[in-house]
Amino acid sequence: MSSAFPLVVALIVVGVGGYAVAAWIQVREATRREVVERTLGTTASTDLRRAIRRGLPNDDADSLRSRMLRKAPSVWSTNQSIRSRLIQAGYDNPVAPLAYSLVRVGALVFFPLAALLLIPKGSFLQVFIGVAAAALTGLILPPFILLRLVSRRQDQIRRSLPDCLDLVVVCVEAGISLDAAILRVARDLVYVHPQLASELLVVSRKTNAGMTREEALRGLWDRTGVEEVRTLVGSLVQSEKWGSSSARVLRVSADTLRRKRRHMAERKAATAPVKMIVPMALFIFPALFVVILGPALLQIVAAFSDK
């Protein structure tokens, strides 16, 4: 066991380092491609074509995705709750539920095996508790990370809604239809608010495919899960049914969302001192006690030791 321990640690370090290098290369390549496209002035049309092409189904029966979907259990690839949550996190690829299920199975197998190899062989109860804790971690970690990704994406969309609505109001008041305004704003917000821009492109693609505007807008709320989007969609649908001005509804909604965003920032700032109590009690106060009382304690110990 002692000879295998350094090998296991080395393999884990190499694996984590390889994943980190691959992620860094991918991010660097995406950043360089973005800079090149922005320099050439083809970013909006290129991103629009990519977004439209991404929504087209892949009918190639010999592709890797098709083979994986055929061989995987149906509960992995057709689970609607997992699929809706992945879509809200930004993973709308048809193979995303399968990949997520494979990640969950891999985590459920990897963590107990790693614990079994790394935990020193003591009593049976100690090994059992360590393996059970590792299995529980592998079971809970992927859903927790997915929920965090959903929450972060919803916060990004929530913060970008007022700016988006202001641009839509400007376009609508300039005489552009609401559908054309949504497409124009989506193309302009690709780099400022990419999450909301991608969802608006999906709405535009659905309306161009023949879906009604009401269904497309309600699909926007289903794909994001943001409560403010549901309120906005309800107001737009009601204004369209009653024949009122959409620009006025959008302007009022933008002011309301901006006011709510300011109140949320003030509430977070007000709760910051309460959240700082635990870090101060665990990290700052002990360090202060050591610095302030340390010399006095050393002198007291030295005085008693001399006696």
Side-chain angles (χ1 to χ4, degrees), residues 63-73 76-77 95 98-99 102:
S63 62
L64 178 61
R65 185 184 69 182
S66 300
R67 293 197 299 268
M68 291 176 64
L69 291 177
R70 285 198 305 267
K71 295 181 179 180
W76 288 12
S77 57
V95 80
L98 177 61
L102 290 176

Side-chain angles (χ1 to χ4, degrees), residues 6-305:
L7 179 60
V8 173
V9 174
L11 290 176
I12 294 176
V13 171
V14 171
V16 173
Y19 278 115
V21 171
W24 178 76
I25 292 175
Q26 185 176 3
V27 171
R28 182 179 179 183
E29 182 66 22
T31 305
R32 186 174 61 180
R33 188 183 301 110
E34 176 182 342
V35 172
V36 172
E37 292 178 352
R38 186 181 298 176
T39 305
L40 295 176
T42 59
T43 56
S45 59
T46 303
D47 288 326
L48 180 60
R49 289 195 298 269
R50 286 177 180 172
I52 294 175
R53 188 167 55 246
R54 185 183 61 182
L56 295 177
N58 186 6
D59 297 332
D60 189 5
D62 296 332
S63 62
L64 178 61
R65 185 184 69 182
S66 300
R67 293 197 299 268
M68 291 176 64
L69 291 177
R70 285 198 305 267
K71 295 181 179 180
S74 60
V75 68
W76 288 12
S77 57
T78 61
N79 194 325
Q80 293 300 326
S81 61
I82 294 178
R83 182 170 179 79
S84 62
R85 194 170 298 173
L86 287 170
I87 290 175
Q88 291 178 1
Y91 303 100
D92 56 351
N93 197 289
V95 80
L98 177 61
Y100 174 72
S101 300
L102 290 176
V103 168
R104 293 195 65 179
V105 173
L108 191 59
V109 173
F110 172 76
F111 281 96
L113 288 179
L116 187 62
L117 292 175
L118 297 179
I119 294 177
K121 292 299 185 293
S123 63
F124 174 76
L125 181 61
Q126 180 181 359
V127 176
F128 177 76
I129 292 176
V131 173
L136 184 62
T137 302
L139 183 64
I140 296 177
L141 188 60
F144 176 75
I145 294 176
L146 181 60
L147 288 177
R148 292 293 300 173
L149 291 175
V150 171
S151 177
R152 186 177 65 179
R153 187 168 185 267
Q154 288 177 349
D155 290 338
Q156 293 175 357
I157 293 175
R158 192 177 292 110
R159 288 195 300 266
S160 60
L161 269 177
D163 300 334
C164 173
L165 294 181
D166 289 337
L167 293 177
V168 174
V169 168
V170 172
C171 294
V172 171
E173 290 182 346
I176 303 177
S177 64
L178 184 59
D179 297 334
I182 290 175
L183 179 59
R184 177 62 183 271
V185 171
R187 295 176 60 182
D188 292 339
L189 293 180
V190 168
Y191 292 107
V192 182
H193 302 297
Q195 304 294 338
L196 184 58
S198 63
E199 295 298 332
L200 293 179
L201 286 173
V202 172
V203 172
S204 178
R205 186 167 66 241
K206 288 182 178 180
T207 54
N208 291 334
M211 185 179 293
T212 62
R213 185 188 302 170
E214 178 179 356
E215 293 178 353
L217 291 175
R218 293 190 186 279
L220 176 63
W221 175 67
D222 294 335
R223 290 176 58 86
T224 57
V226 179
E227 186 65 24
E228 288 79 1
V229 173
R230 186 184 67 84
T231 305
L232 175 62
V233 169
S235 301
L236 285 175
V237 171
Q238 187 176 3
S239 67
E240 185 178 359
K241 288 183 178 179
W242 290 97
S244 58
S245 176
S246 300
R248 183 180 303 174
V249 173
L250 293 172
R251 186 182 296 107
V252 172
S253 300
D255 294 338
T256 304
L257 292 175
R258 190 172 286 107
R259 193 180 306 112
K260 184 181 295 186
R261 184 175 61 181
R262 184 171 61 253
H263 291 168
M264 187 179 300
E266 292 175 355
R267 185 169 62 252
K268 289 184 178 180
T271 58
V274 179
K275 295 180 179 179
M276 286 296 296
I277 292 177
V278 176
M280 289 178 65
L282 292 179
F283 302 105
I284 299 178
F285 287 160
L288 288 177
F289 291 154
V290 169
V291 172
I292 295 173
L293 300 179
L297 291 176
L298 291 177
Q299 292 180 2
I300 293 173
V301 171
F304 278 102
S305 62

